[in-house]
Amino acid sequence: MIFTRPLFLYSIPVVILIGSALIVFNMMRKRKLVDKILATGHKSNLSLTDMKAEILKEFFIVLALVSFLFAAAGPADESEISSMTKKGIDVIFVCDISRSMDASLPVRKLETAKKIMTGVIERRPDDRISLIIFSGSSTIVSPLTFDHRSLLSAIEKLSAQTTTSTGTALSGAFGSLERVIEKEATRSTAVILLSDGEDFGPDISGGIQNLSENRIPVISVGIGSVDSDPVPEINYKGEITGYIMLSAYDTAKTYLDEEMLKRISNSTKGLYLKAENSSRTAEEISNFLEGLKKETISQKQDVLFVYHYEIPLAIGAVLIALSITVEKKRRIKKCYL
């Protein structure tokens, strides 16, 4: 167990010291007050039991503050994947999240892509994997990493509303690929492109040639139908509220452009697959990757932490609740005296 913000720990002795001093001071002050009242011959409402209840309440509050300071100090364990060596390959997912990927056939195309990526990751435990998403522009969601759990979490959250850019441009995705790919002659690298193939951006011939020259195959996964499918409007809840209209009588349509995807795969000596069954497609991709040369990959990542702040927070909350309960009981009892 380590603390990522140890400065908060240094204040704990101060809180305990001040809290204890205040409890003792209040106890002595009330004791003197009781003695004064009794000296005048009057009956005091401040009984010994009442004083003990108030001291107990203050004790709970001090302990709650200590628990909150422990939580603020960031108790954590170092992740097991902060440094790792495995024998595998580098895999880069390039996933289309444009509006057309919201079309349903009958399952939304993006959901199909997410299932395929998840299936591949589960079958490739020793590979480093990266994720790039694109529509009108591209974003590197994750560099090459062994942290598959975080990748799966990021994939689960993907939606066509993840980006504010419009249109579909593969050129941006190819630009991001150049930043992710490590220039190592012995490292086997493969790109998995998941898209309906529609591309309204600049020519990508240069990007395809660059991958070909570096012997990086592209596995293109065509998602969708060659027949037209309307592009839906999605609200913040992920519900279809209508369809995008190009004009009053013309609904925006999306098509699977297999020719574009086949061109990319053929030019890089990769593989084209039409996504008809997510599990089977993931298996075919994994089988293709298995044929690539595996190399020993060592990676030192930034130290990752698994935090446990919820435990002291919960303890602090219970102690606050106990202090409130003690105070209520004290007040009720005092009313009957």
Side-chain angles (χ1 to χ4, degrees):
M1 177 74 71
I2 60 173
F3 292 90
T4 56
R5 294 180 293 273
L7 185 62
F8 287 96
L9 292 178
Y10 304 146
S11 58
I12 289 177
V14 177
V15 170
I16 293 174
L17 184 63
I18 294 175
S20 301
L22 287 173
I23 291 173
V24 172
F25 174 77
N26 285 336
M27 184 175 64
M28 293 176 64
R29 183 175 62 84
K30 289 188 178 182
R31 191 65 154 178
K32 287 181 180 180
L33 182 59
V34 170
D35 291 342
K36 278 186 179 181
I37 294 173
L38 293 177
T40 62
H42 292 84
K43 185 180 178 182
S44 174
N45 287 332
L46 294 172
S47 66
L48 184 61
T49 303
D50 182 68
M51 289 176 60
K52 286 181 178 178
E54 186 152 349
I55 291 170
L56 185 60
K57 178 196 75 173
E58 293 169 350
F59 177 70
F60 283 149
I61 291 174
V62 171
L63 286 182
L65 288 174
V66 171
S67 296
F68 292 147
L69 286 171
F70 265 109
D77 292 322
E78 284 192 27
S79 171
E80 295 178 356
I81 62 169
S82 58
S83 181
M84 189 172 288
T85 299
K86 290 188 175 184
K87 191 169 184 177
I89 64 173
D90 286 343
V91 177
I92 305 171
F93 286 116
V94 179
C95 184
D96 186 350
I97 61 165
S98 60
R99 297 290 293 277
S100 65
M101 293 293 284
D102 264 337
S104 303
L105 302 164
V107 179
R108 288 181 192 170
K109 292 190 279 186
L110 184 55
E111 292 303 313
T112 299
K114 288 159 66 172
K115 287 180 181 178
I116 293 171
M117 287 190 286
T118 299
V120 172
I121 291 173
E122 290 172 348
R123 290 169 170 82
R124 310 294 303 176
D126 295 329
D127 293 344
R128 282 197 312 176
I129 302 177
S130 171
L131 173 62
I132 297 171
I133 57 175
F134 73 96
S135 54
S137 60
S138 67
T139 301
I140 300 172
V141 176
S142 171
L144 289 164
T145 180
F146 286 124
D147 188 1
H148 293 183
R149 184 174 60 179
S150 295
L151 265 175
L152 290 171
S153 176
I155 288 170
E156 179 61 30
K157 295 173 184 175
L158 289 182
S159 75
Q161 284 71 48
T162 302
T163 178
T164 56
S165 63
T166 58
T168 308
L170 279 165
S171 57
F174 277 88
S176 295
L177 271 173
E178 293 180 7
R179 298 198 297 274
V180 171
I181 295 170
E182 294 188 356
K183 306 299 182 182
E184 298 183 30
T186 60
R187 181 67 43 75
S188 290
T189 303
V191 174
I192 302 174
L193 172 62
L194 303 106
S195 175
D196 53 23
E198 291 188 315
D199 181 30
F200 305 103
D203 183 67
I204 58 172
S205 297
I208 296 174
Q209 183 179 353
N210 184 50
L211 291 173
S212 179
E213 290 174 353
N214 285 282
R215 298 180 180 179
I216 298 175
V218 178
I219 303 169
S220 297
V221 181
I223 305 175
S225 171
V226 293
D227 299 322
S228 64
D229 198 53
V231 180
E233 287 276 11
I234 308 294
N235 64 16
Y236 71 97
K237 294 181 180 179
E239 302 168 338
I240 296 177
T241 58
Y243 295 92
I244 297 175
M245 304 298 293
L246 299 178
S247 66
Y249 305 100
D250 187 14
T251 305
K253 300 288 199 318
T254 175
Y255 306 84
L256 171 60
D257 188 348
E258 290 188 294
E259 293 304 314
M260 166 63 80
L261 297 173
K262 287 178 179 178
R263 174 195 164 202
I264 295 172
S265 293
N266 292 337
S267 299
T268 59
K269 296 183 180 179
L271 175 69
Y272 172 74
L273 296 170
K274 188 174 186 304
E276 296 177 339
N277 180 286
S278 300
S279 180
R280 186 166 60 245
T281 301
E283 186 66 34
E284 291 181 79
I285 292 172
S286 183
N287 290 340
F288 180 90
L289 297 176
E290 196 63 30
L292 301 180
K293 183 182 178 182
K294 296 180 181 180
E295 297 289 342
T296 299
I297 307 172
S298 296
Q299 184 176 48
K300 289 184 178 180
Q301 302 176 181
D302 292 335
V303 176
L304 303 176
F305 298 105
V306 179
Y307 286 94
H308 303 293
Y309 57 83
E310 69 278 1
I311 299 173
L313 276 180
I315 293 173
V318 170
L319 289 167
I320 290 293
L322 286 173
S323 70
I324 293 172
T325 301
V326 169
E327 176 64 14
K328 282 185 176 180
K329 287 184 177 180
R330 186 183 72 85
R331 287 179 181 274
I332 292 171
K333 191 171 183 178
K334 192 174 180 181
C335 289
Y336 288 100
L337 291 175

